[in-house]
Amino acid sequence: MKKVHLTKVTQKNKEFFVMVLDPRIMIELLERVKPGTSQEAQRPWVVPKVKEISRYVAGKIKISDDYKAMGLIPNAPILSITKKLKIEKETVSFLEKGSTVKRDNYFIMIPEEFEYEKYLDSFVTIDGQHRIRGFDKEYRDPLFENSIEYEMVFCIFEELTKNERRELFWVTNAKQDKVTSNLLRLIKNYLGLLGTSELVFDVCNLLNDEDISPLKGRIMIGSEKVTKGYKEAQLSKVLEKSQVFSTLNSLTKGDSELICKVYSSYLKSWENVYKVSFESPDNTPLTKISGIRYITFIMPSVIRILQSKKLQFTTKSFQEIIKHLDEVVGTNVFEDDNVSLAFRGEGATVKMAKDHGTSLEAYHSTLGSDYNPLEGI
């Protein structure tokens, strides 16, 4: 047996301990539970998640196109010990400033490799079992060699009731706020890990900062909260998936400010035609993220129409195209109750936008190449 020192933690008269140990040892002493099996105080564990952690630890997980994860696990799994092991205390004396001081040290005797079989099921996981099972020989990645030094921090409890175990699992899961994709994108941007999406992120920042933008102050960057605002992650996804960003990025040769100007002009044209304000949104679908998704997925069609007529991308040009939308599709999609359901699902909104964009292109193609939507203005 090997002595492993513990650090005692006290919270409201309840003691638990912090231990540092190689997880390749811990997995040999962990309670044996088959994947998918129900457990008293936590959810069943699944093989795919264990394999993903194994790949992460081995450094195979890519955070971005050119950056691989370090494979560190700094957060501590929570476990309780069974009667096979015991937390022990020893009192040591030492001199401090000329006086003899006594201190209680805590430790646990951890089995050596030849003793593993005897001490199976010595630890029961309360939280973090996937992190530990990622070091199981059955799932361990070949790149993660035995010679690699790797320790983890573990929180160790003893003599817990079933309800106490359930509470610990609950407080470490249900009571923790999930990190939003918005905040993760901001952090990845700070680290330079967004790759090509960094350019889209920059455009969203400009749309949120520039006076010319109808979305100024309305875009939630990172953990910011804005009433009826638009999450940067959602807007970036819309700009990318609609191919509006790639189209404008190509046309402007990567000029983010010019992309911001063109997209702002496009948004203003919708405000003018439908008498709404993105700065002061109301209950119309147009001023919600579903409405922005709809009009952005129409934008490639509008761009092609203006290109075919060799017209500039100005607010007036845009609105002279989209003002025919109601006529083309036979209704005001933002006020028609029969259409409103399409704004409740992303897939339905995108399909409707693409169909309506195609209809707009067909309509304007019948007007002839000499048609000038700016004539007389």
Side-chain angles (χ1 to χ4, degrees):
M1 302 284 277
K2 179 177 66 174
K3 179 188 284 188
V4 175
H5 292 281
L6 305 175
T7 299
K8 187 179 76 168
V9 181
T10 304
Q11 294 181 0
K12 299 179 73 172
N13 298 321
K14 186 71 176 179
E15 295 178 351
F16 61 97
F17 300 85
V18 174
M19 176 178 71
V20 176
L21 189 70
D22 189 323
R24 288 166 290 199
I25 296 175
M26 177 59 75
I27 187 60
E28 299 294 341
L29 308 175
L30 197 65
E31 178 186 33
R32 291 294 178 254
V33 181
K34 292 183 179 180
T37 303
S38 296
Q39 295 169 263
E40 285 184 342
Q42 63 175 308
R43 66 176 70 94
W45 69 275
V46 294
V47 172
K49 189 170 182 180
V50 167
K51 288 183 176 179
E52 182 181 17
I53 289 173
S54 176
R55 292 180 64 247
Y56 167 76
V57 170
K60 286 187 173 181
I61 298 295
K62 295 181 70 175
I63 295 178
S64 69
D65 292 339
D66 54 0
Y67 184 87
K68 284 187 177 181
M70 293 184 290
L72 305 184
I73 302 179
N75 52 342
I78 303 171
L79 307 99
S80 63
I81 60 172
T82 66
K83 294 186 182 299
K84 290 187 176 184
L85 295 179
K86 182 182 179 182
I87 293 175
E88 301 183 60
K89 180 174 72 173
E90 60 182 358
T91 301
V92 297
S93 300
F94 58 95
L95 287 175
E96 185 176 277
K97 296 181 179 180
S99 300
T100 300
V101 178
K102 292 184 177 182
R103 182 178 66 192
D104 291 335
N105 284 343
Y106 296 86
F107 65 92
I108 189 171
M109 300 303 294
I110 295 295
E112 300 283 0
E113 186 173 356
F114 67 90
E115 301 173 296
Y116 287 165
E117 189 67 28
K118 180 181 176 182
Y119 286 92
L120 285 177
D121 302 330
S122 292
F123 290 94
V124 176
T125 53
I126 296 170
D127 181 66
Q129 65 175 332
H130 287 95
R131 276 168 275 165
I132 304 172
R133 296 187 190 281
F135 292 89
D136 194 314
K137 290 177 182 177
E138 183 177 354
Y139 306 111
R140 202 179 304 163
D141 193 281
L143 283 182
F144 187 71
E145 300 174 353
N146 289 332
S147 60
I148 296 175
E149 184 177 0
Y150 202 100
E151 295 177 324
M152 282 177 61
V153 178
F154 298 92
C155 288
I156 307 298
F157 287 80
E158 60 178 343
E159 297 181 353
L160 287 176
T161 66
K162 186 185 299 182
N163 281 339
E164 285 175 332
R165 293 199 301 272
R166 287 170 175 168
E167 179 184 334
L168 288 170
F169 177 77
W170 170 75
V171 77
T172 53
N173 289 273
K175 295 302 290 181
Q176 300 299 318
D177 290 335
K178 181 181 178 182
V179 178
T180 65
S181 59
N182 232 35
L183 179 55
L184 289 175
R185 281 178 60 82
L186 179 61
I187 292 171
K188 289 180 74 174
N189 184 65
Y190 287 151
L191 296 173
L193 303 178
L194 280 181
T196 55
S197 293
E198 186 173 340
L199 300 174
V200 189
F201 186 92
D202 290 342
V203 170
C204 285
N205 269 283
L206 287 171
L207 288 167
N208 195 47
D209 293 338
E210 296 293 339
D211 290 337
I212 61 170
S213 170
L215 301 182
K216 181 180 180 181
R218 305 290 307 139
I219 302 173
M220 295 179 282
I221 308 294
S223 58
E224 292 177 353
K225 300 291 184 184
V226 178
T227 303
K228 294 186 178 181
Y230 313 102
K231 292 181 179 179
E232 176 276 322
Q234 290 181 317
L235 183 58
S236 288
K237 180 182 177 182
V238 167
L239 288 169
E240 288 189 280
K241 294 292 184 182
S242 64
Q243 298 186 339
V244 164
F245 174 77
S246 59
T247 300
L248 294 181
N249 193 50
S250 176
L251 290 172
T252 64
K253 297 181 180 179
D255 188 330
S256 297
E257 288 192 6
L258 191 50
I259 294 173
C260 174
K261 287 181 180 179
V262 173
Y263 190 66
S264 294
S265 296
Y266 182 69
L267 294 177
K268 288 175 185 176
S269 70
W270 288 89
E271 287 184 319
N272 294 342
V273 172
Y274 287 94
K275 311 303 179 187
V276 298
S277 170
F278 293 106
E279 182 181 355
S280 303
D282 52 24
N283 290 324
T284 178
L286 178 52
T287 57
K288 298 178 180 178
I289 187 62
S290 57
I292 289 182
R293 180 180 293 113
Y294 170 77
I295 66 176
T296 304
F297 271 86
I298 284 181
M299 192 175 183
S301 291
V302 176
I303 288 175
R304 285 191 289 270
I305 292 170
L306 293 180
Q307 286 177 318
S308 70
K309 299 180 184 300
K310 299 181 180 179
L311 297 173
Q312 293 184 321
F313 297 165
T314 64
T315 299
K316 288 184 178 180
S317 294
F318 284 132
Q319 68 188 42
E320 284 298 321
I321 300 298
I322 65 173
K323 75 177 185 180
H324 297 285
L325 179 64
D326 292 0
E327 176 187 353
V328 170
V329 302
T331 188
N332 181 330
V333 296
F334 306 113
E335 297 179 356
D336 192 334
D337 292 338
N338 294 322
V339 180
S340 61
L341 288 175
F343 286 105
R344 296 184 183 180
E346 181 177 341
T349 303
V350 169
K351 183 180 184 307
M352 179 171 67
K354 289 182 176 180
D355 289 344
H356 290 177
T358 300
S359 298
L360 264 180
E361 287 188 74
Y363 171 83
H364 281 278
S365 68
T366 65
L367 297 178
S369 59
D370 295 330
Y371 170 68
N372 183 358
L374 301 183
E375 185 176 353
I377 294 178

